[in-house]
Each structure stands twice: as C-alpha cells, then as structure tokens.
Amino acid sequence: MRLLVVEDNEVVADAIVGGLQLAGYTVDHAGSAELARNVLAAEHFDLAVVDIGLPGADGLSLVREVRAAGNAMPILILTARYELSERIRAFDLGADDFLMKPFEQAELAARCRALIRRANLVPSGAVTIGRVSIDLLGHQLCIDSQPVELTKREWLLLESLAHNLGRVVSKDRLLQALAGWEAELSANAVETHISRLRAKLGEAAVIRTVRGLGYRLDEQPERDAQ
Amino acid sequence: MTIQRRLVLLLAPAFAVLMLVAALIDYRIAIVATRTTYDQALDGAARATAALLSSEGGMLRFVPPTALRAGAPADQAGSLLYLISGPDGKLIAGSALLPEAASGGNPAFADISYAGHALRVATLRVQTPAGIARVTVAEPTALRSQALHTMLVGDLLVDFVELNAVLLLLSIGLYFSLRPVRTLGAQVEGRAPREFQPFAEADLPGEVRPLILEVNRLLELLNDASHAQQRFIADAAHQLRTPLAGLLAQLELLLSKPAAAALKSELISVHRAIQHVAHSANQLLSLARAEPLAALPDHFVPNSLEERVAQVVERNVDRADLAGIDLGAEADSAVVLGDAWLLDDLLNNLVDNALIYTPRGGRVTVRSGMHPEGPFLEVEDNGPGIALAERPRVRERFYRSAGSPGNGSGLGLAIVDEIARVHQAHFAILAGTGGRGSRMRIQFGPQAAADS
C-alpha cells in the first residue's frame, strides 16, 4: 500500500512518514499542494494524508482538484485549526476523514487502515479482520481459512456490520436489513441473531454492544489494553 | 410607556382645561349677547305697543291688537304682559299690578318678580299730546335663560367634539411621525442576541439618529473585535497545535524504536507531559471559542442532539472499555439551534469527566430528549458524585477539587458552562439516580428548539 503525506511542517511530516512506515505502508512526502499535485498526476496512491494549512494553495483546494480529476482514493484531512466550517467544507469537497492535531500515531494509523479497507471493500468485496475474512460477493465467512455456515439472517447482519467496519450500526438499521428479507420481526430478533453470530465468530472477531446505540464489528479483534 | 401614549396622556388634560376656559368665556359673552338681544326685542315690543296709543281729545286710548286683546296669560312663553299708564299715573290698559322699571335709560329695564314669575320689564316713556305716558312690557326671564342654556350646551358639545378631534389628529400625526422609531424598536426586539449588523439609518427622526449612529459604531467595533478574536483563536490553534503534533508524533515514533528501550520510562514521562500541555492548549482554545464574542449565533444551525449523543458515545466507547466502565446512550430526538463543534465539546467534557471520576465497573449514560421546558442533554454516572458545597465551585475556571485524579486542566466544567450559556441553556449539577453519582444536565430553553 502506498500513501502520500502532504504536510509542510518538517517535524510533523517526518514523524507521520516514520509512523506510517512502521505501520507497514510505503510512504511518500510532499511539502506543498503544488508538489503533491505533480506526484498524484504521475503515480498511483492508495491514500493521501493532507494538511489543510499548507503554504500556497491549501489542502482543501488540493482535495477539490484531486476529486475534479476523477481520483477516488481516500483522503484524510489533518488540521490544527478549530473551525467547524473547515470540517464541513472538507467533507463537502470530498475528503473521507478528518483528524485534529495533535493526534496519536496509533489513531492516525488506525484511521488510514479503516479508510483503505473501506475503499477496497467495494472493488474486492472482501474484508479481512485478523483471522476472519468476509467475502461479501461470494457470501462466505471464513475463520482461519475454514468456511463457517451462517443462516440468511446472520449473514445479513454480518454484511451490514462489515460494510460499517469499526463504526456503530444502530439496532434500527440492522432491523431494517433483516426486515427487507422477512416481514414480521420483533425488536428482540436482532439481539437473538447477533448472539448466535457471536457464538459462531467465537474469539476470532468481536461484535461489541454499544448500550443504547447498536453494535460494532471491531476492526482489531485483539486490541490490547494499553 | 411609549412616546405617543405619554404625549396624549400629557396633552389631553391640558386641552380639556383650555376648552373649559374657552367655554366659560363663551358663556360670559353669551350672557351679555342674550341680554342685549332680548332687551332690544323687549324695547321693540314696548315701542310697538306705544305705537298703538292714540290720543283723542286729550284722552289716551289704547287699541290692543288681536293677540293682546285676548289677554293671554303671562306665564306662557312668548306672550307679553303689559301696562300702559297715563301722565297722571292712571291705568290706561294692561295689568295694573305689573311693576314698572325705575327710571334709567329710555326704555328703562329691570328684573322683577310678578305673580311668582321672574320677569324682565322695559318701561318706555313716550311723549303724547296728553303728556308723558309710560308703556311697560314684561317678558319671563325663562325665555332668555332657555336660549342661554341651549347656547351653553351647544358650546360645550362643540368644545367636546373639538377636543376629541384634536386628540385624534394628534394621535394620527404622532402615529405617522413616530413610525420610523417604531420600526427601529421592532428591529431591536427581533434581533438575535449578539447580532452585529448595523441598524438602517435612513428615515430616522433627528432625535434618535445620533443614538443609532453611535450604536452602529459600537456594533461595528464589536463585530471587528469578534472577527479578530475568531482569527486569533484560529491562528493560536494552528501555532500551538502544529508543533505539539510534531513533538508527540516524533516521541511516539522514537518510543517504537529499539534504541529507545533504555530510556523508555523517561520518554513516556515526557510524552505524558506533552500530552498534558496539548490537553490544556485544547481546553483553553475551547474556552476561548465558547466565549460570547467568538461563538456567534449567526453560525448556529439546527443540530440533532440525538446525533451528538451518538457521536460522543461512539467516540469514547473504547476508552470506556479500557477503564472498565459501561458507557451507553439513551438518545431521544431533539433539535436545537447551535454549533455542532461546541455541542460536541460540551458533551466530550462531560463524558471525559464522568469517565475520569467513575470507578471501574461503573456506568455512564448520555441522554438527549425533549422536556416540557425544552430540549435537554444529560450525562449521568454512578461515581462518587460532587458534594453540594462543591457544585458551584467546580464550574470556576482552573478549579480542581482536592484529590481529583488525572491531570485535568480544571477547565472542563467551565467550558461546559460557557457553551451552555452561548446556547442560552442552563447547566445544572445534580445528584445521580438514588442520590449516587452525578447527573450533569443541560436544559435548553424552548426558543433553542428548532425544526430539523
């Protein structure tokens, strides 16, 4: 995976590049939007980390140009400013995520991983979480490369969760996913099927209940306590 | 009280007194005019009566006209009583008992009483071949007082109508001339708090114009100050956070290298210290952003509190897991006019506090919904709670209660207080369910509620 970091502050850029390299990515660095434009025109990148406050053209105008050129790679915006309008504009222009400085290296790496995974989900139709791999096109769940049988309802729930990997999916949305397939469903149906799905996933993946909100398929099953 | 009302209330009694005085003068004039007119008529009657006197061989004769001949009763309005006496005082015709007016002018007039009636008499002395005869005619004074009365009533009626007309015209005039002032008043009332657009200066009456010009000048100053503060916050944020981000990221990178192993505990201390600086810088910037000049309601948009609650719970759920705390939401829909970033800050500070103070195994719940008073947000925990005596103090900037864990800046609840204030919400620190823990409640006013 190849990443481009667009950041003018040498100290920050140096640290981000180092951190992302440690996370296993190939990382290039551009100190300005102009430089980044040239690099992006010539080569393929899987993701760009773009600082808004660049000298010359700012990060937001770079996002606009990239999207205008038809490039759909995920873009993560970095900013030190504190303006809601900036965040809104960034998303309007086509940025995929937004991270505030200062941040933790682990957080940046996790966001990059999630963005790349989501971007690849559509063309490949597959997600891999540790020992678990979910083939969304072939409707196949494998743990340690061994296929696991799922009922139709369990599969619909897993599909919804996998599409929103690392994000909380509300109970209502899961219920809708099920209701599309079968009409009469009680509110407890989601809970019942989730617990069956959990049993089948075992230790390999975690479906976390977020009280009052819904469920989340964790990106990292073995997230170790700090 | 409005200027219009004040003027009308002030002028109405003054006008009324003026009209009363005018009516009194009119009355005096009317008395004189009536007497003159009626006396002239009486004089005429006396002369007409005298003309009927004829002298035949030294004897005076009086031939009454048909109307007089009948001898109509004296109390009948319009009828005349008369007495004609000869030079020797001998009665020639008429009522013998009718008193004559004592001499004065010719005719002489007098007010007398006759048979229980008030009468006005005129006695005319006429030269006849037989000598000076006296012709006295009398008329009830009731006639003239009746006319006077009619005149007086008419006068007062006209005055009253005039008074009302003047007040009405005054009101209409005031209504139109005060229209620009009223428009201005409506503009001021309809204004959102901390709105800095200047007032329109056209069409303003001279009296309020200087005031408005001055207010506009101050508004412009405030507007500039507000922009300057927002710029400063943005710049300060950039200048503080970029180097901090560099420092932290470099340190984290360093910590992951094998060479750093020997100094790991020292590096972790440094990292923690920088994180503390970063946290304080963030909190100070949050506080500055929540201040009234920086947080302008013209940036406020409808915000779903349900979404804000979901967002803050989702963001903190991993941290709660690490701390062994059950973090959850009870989010009902409610929409308020506000700034999403500030509302997030508010909730994050409350949840941050709850997660710091609640012990492992505890429970933190974030709520939103509609109360009869308006939309609300609430963060409840079952930790140690805040003692009653401490509750007012914990909102103070940089206040930290004795023995508080973590390395907080003491700004968290001050920020919550400021953000609540700019949203015209009330921040209450209450006890949790069953008196355990604390319940931080942000109650928005009904005016904050917005349609989604």
Side-chain angles (χ1 to χ4, degrees), chain A residues 49-102:
Chain A
V49 176
V50 178
D51 181 41
I52 289 189
L54 295 170
D58 71 1
L60 292 179
S61 63
L62 180 65
V63 174
R64 191 190 311 118
E65 282 173 29
V66 167
R67 291 293 180 249
N71 190 339
M73 86 178 150
I75 298 176
L76 188 148
I77 288 287
L78 283 183
T79 187
R81 291 192 178 267
Y82 197 102
E83 280 170 62
L84 185 63
S85 54
E86 230 174 33
R87 181 162 67 168
I88 294 168
R89 259 188 73 210
F91 284 119
D92 283 349
L93 289 174
D96 299 272
D97 205 353
F98 195 95
L99 193 59
M100 196 77 156
K101 288 180 188 173

Side-chain angles (χ1 to χ4, degrees), chain B residues 422-446:
Chain B
V422 296
H423 285 87
Q424 291 174 288
H426 177 69
F427 169 34
I429 300 175
L430 310 161
T433 314
R436 265 205 74 187
S438 52
R439 191 159 60 94
M440 306 295 198
R441 189 176 170 92
I442 310 294
Q443 180 64 60
F444 296 87

Side-chain angles (χ1 to χ4, degrees), chain A residues 9 11-12 14-15 18-19 22 80-84 87 100-102 104-105 167-168 208 210-213 216 223 225, chain B residues 234-235 237 241-242 245-246 249-250 252-253 256 275 286 289 310 313-314 317-318 321 326 328-329 341 345 363-365:
Chain A
N9 185 295
V11 183
V12 179
D14 191 42
L22 270 184
R81 291 192 178 267
Y82 197 102
E83 280 170 62
L84 185 63
R87 181 162 67 168
M100 196 77 156
K101 288 180 188 173
E104 284 180 24
Q105 291 268 27
R167 294 175 184 164
V168 175
R208 195 194 184 289
V210 182
R211 178 163 55 89
L213 286 188
R216 189 185 74 184
R223 191 184 289 243
Chain B
D235 292 344
R241 283 182 170 145
T242 305
Q250 288 283 1
E252 283 168 20
L253 189 60
S256 63
Q275 267 185 325
S286 284
R289 254 186 65 84
V313 169
E314 187 164 354
V317 84
D318 287 328
D321 270 357
D326 172 21
W341 203 304
D345 256 0
R363 192 178 162 96
V364 174
T365 304

Side-chain angles (χ1 to χ4, degrees), chain A residues 19-42:
Chain A
L20 291 174
Q21 278 169 345
L22 270 184
Y25 298 107
T26 310
V27 189
D28 286 293
H29 170 234
S32 71
E34 289 79 5
L35 268 173
R37 195 185 302 145
N38 295 338
V39 181
L40 283 168

Side-chain angles (χ1 to χ4, degrees), chain B residues 7 56 87 124 142 167 190 242 248 250 270 361 374 442:
Chain B
L7 263 175
E56 276 172 32
L124 181 73
L167 288 178
T242 305
L248 280 171
Q250 288 283 1
V270 174
I442 310 294

